[in-house]
Amino acid sequence: MNAFIPLFQVEFMHSILNDYYNYAVEKEGQTLLPQYLAMYKITISGAEHHMIVMKNVFAANLRLHKKYDLKGSTVDREATDKDHARKDGDFLKEEMKIRIGEEKRAEVLAMLESDTKFLSQLKIMDYSLLLGVHNISQGIEEQEAEEEHSSSDDLLDGDEVANNNKQDSDAPMDGEEEDEEEEIFSNGYTYPTHETVTDKEVYCMGLIDVLTKYNASKRAAHTAKTMKHGAGAEISTVKPEQYAKRFLEFMNNAFV
């Protein structure tokens, strides 16, 4: 996964890189922070652009049926047609829950508490939990429909024998399904629903947008939004400690 970032975020990342690395090593993988892999400077038509490469939060071999960008704020946090992911307001309106069971819930919340404390120490706010949801029943139905459609196309083309051979060659060998499942859950960002849940889902989740520092421009934005929405409104632009506290409160209610 890669993204272009502005120069001020490049400079900020350089300033926190040593602390970020030490924290990641200390946690031994028990973190939902982005796993940065590389940074490049690219010159296009004389203009410099900076690109960052990070590990993908989403499992590559899972089709996601829902995506959410969650900040723990409710002011102006409903998705529009232009957004690629639903937001906090949509999550609450749908009465969505992340149903991973008490043991995994405690594990994830402990990581989030540690990660947000670390981000607060670096004066970072405005981050999100990126959540992808794969519904297993829906995924199976979609796969069966695609296979049926593919088989029908082959038969219309007169390739019945070739299609049968293809089906034989595509049939999973012993252990392949287990290997695929192990690959899905090996990236550190993926969790299944608890075994007692009937409507099975798989959740891919991780923190994103962790390079926004609470500085003068953010303080000005906080003042402007407070004047517009009122002092008690849950606006997204708040001090890092307050942001982390509200974020964790939202997550405590989101996980069951």
Side-chain angles (χ1 to χ4, degrees), residues 121-132:
Q121 291 170 348
L122 297 176
K123 303 302 179 186
I124 292 173
M125 42 75 69
D126 211 25
Y127 44 84
S128 304
L129 183 78
L130 181 63
L131 172 68

Side-chain angles (χ1 to χ4, degrees), residues 12 21 100:
F12 181 56
Y21 172 80
I100 57 177

Side-chain angles (χ1 to χ4, degrees), residues 23 27-33 98 100-116 129 185 187-192 194 203 205 207 248 251-252 255-256:
Y23 177 81
K27 301 307 292 184
E28 298 181 339
Q30 297 301 303
T31 173
L32 291 176
L33 289 177
I98 307 169
I100 57 177
E102 282 300 320
E103 183 179 347
K104 290 296 183 182
R105 176 182 184 272
E107 177 185 309
V108 171
L109 291 178
M111 285 193 288
L112 288 174
E113 183 175 359
S114 178
D115 290 345
T116 55
L129 183 78
F185 296 108
N187 72 341
Y189 292 122
T190 309
Y191 295 83
H194 190 259
Y203 308 106
M205 66 189 85
L207 292 170
L248 290 174
M251 295 305 157
N252 266 284
F255 286 86
V256 295

Side-chain angles (χ1 to χ4, degrees), residues 32-242:
L32 291 176
L33 289 177
Q35 297 184 32
Y36 294 113
L37 306 176
M39 182 186 292
Y40 298 96
K41 181 169 71 173
I42 304 170
T43 303
I44 304 174
S45 301
E48 291 185 350
H49 303 271
H50 295 86
M51 184 176 71
I52 197 164
V53 181
M54 66 201 84
K55 190 173 182 179
N56 198 344
V57 170
F58 297 148
N61 47 354
L62 276 185
R63 176 179 294 173
L64 298 178
H65 301 109
K66 294 180 182 179
K67 296 177 185 177
Y68 296 91
D69 180 300
L70 304 174
K71 293 180 179 291
S73 170
T74 55
V75 174
D76 296 331
R77 293 293 297 164
E78 292 188 359
T80 66
D81 293 338
K82 297 179 180 180
D83 293 312
H84 298 295
R86 307 177 197 195
K87 299 183 179 180
D88 305 68
D90 308 300
F91 189 91
L92 295 173
K93 188 181 296 182
E94 296 165 10
E95 298 183 348
M96 178 68 185
K97 295 292 181 181
I98 307 169
R99 302 167 297 168
I100 57 177
E102 282 300 320
E103 183 179 347
K104 290 296 183 182
R105 176 182 184 272
E107 177 185 309
V108 171
L109 291 178
M111 285 193 288
L112 288 174
E113 183 175 359
S114 178
D115 290 345
T116 55
K117 180 180 179 181
F118 171 70
L119 294 175
S120 295
Q121 291 170 348
L122 297 176
K123 303 302 179 186
I124 292 173
M125 42 75 69
D126 211 25
Y127 44 84
S128 304
L129 183 78
L130 181 63
L131 172 68
V133 183
H134 169 80
N135 184 282
I136 292 179
S137 296
Q138 185 176 345
I140 291 172
E141 289 176 3
E142 291 168 348
Q143 184 177 357
E144 290 175 347
E146 288 173 0
E147 289 173 352
E148 183 178 349
H149 179 73
S150 176
S151 299
S152 299
D153 288 345
D154 288 340
L155 290 171
L156 287 172
D157 291 338
D159 292 336
E160 183 174 359
V161 174
N163 181 59
N164 288 336
N165 291 335
K166 180 178 184 297
Q167 285 179 337
D168 291 340
S169 64
D170 287 347
M173 298 177 65
D174 290 343
E176 281 190 0
E177 290 184 354
E178 289 81 359
D179 291 343
E180 183 177 353
E181 183 175 337
E182 183 177 342
E183 181 182 347
I184 289 172
F185 296 108
S186 66
N187 72 341
Y189 292 122
T190 309
Y191 295 83
T193 47
H194 190 259
E195 58 187 13
T196 59
V197 176
T198 54
D199 188 16
K200 301 294 185 184
E201 294 177 322
V202 176
Y203 308 106
C204 303
M205 66 189 85
L207 292 170
I208 60 169
D209 299 336
V210 301
L211 294 176
T212 301
K213 186 176 182 180
Y214 189 74
N215 52 21
S217 64
K218 288 297 180 182
R219 286 193 289 271
H222 169 73
T223 301
K225 288 185 178 181
T226 300
M227 292 176 64
K228 178 180 179 181
H229 299 287
E234 293 186 351
I235 58 176
S236 60
T237 310
V238 294
K239 295 179 180 179
E241 295 78 13
Q242 183 182 349

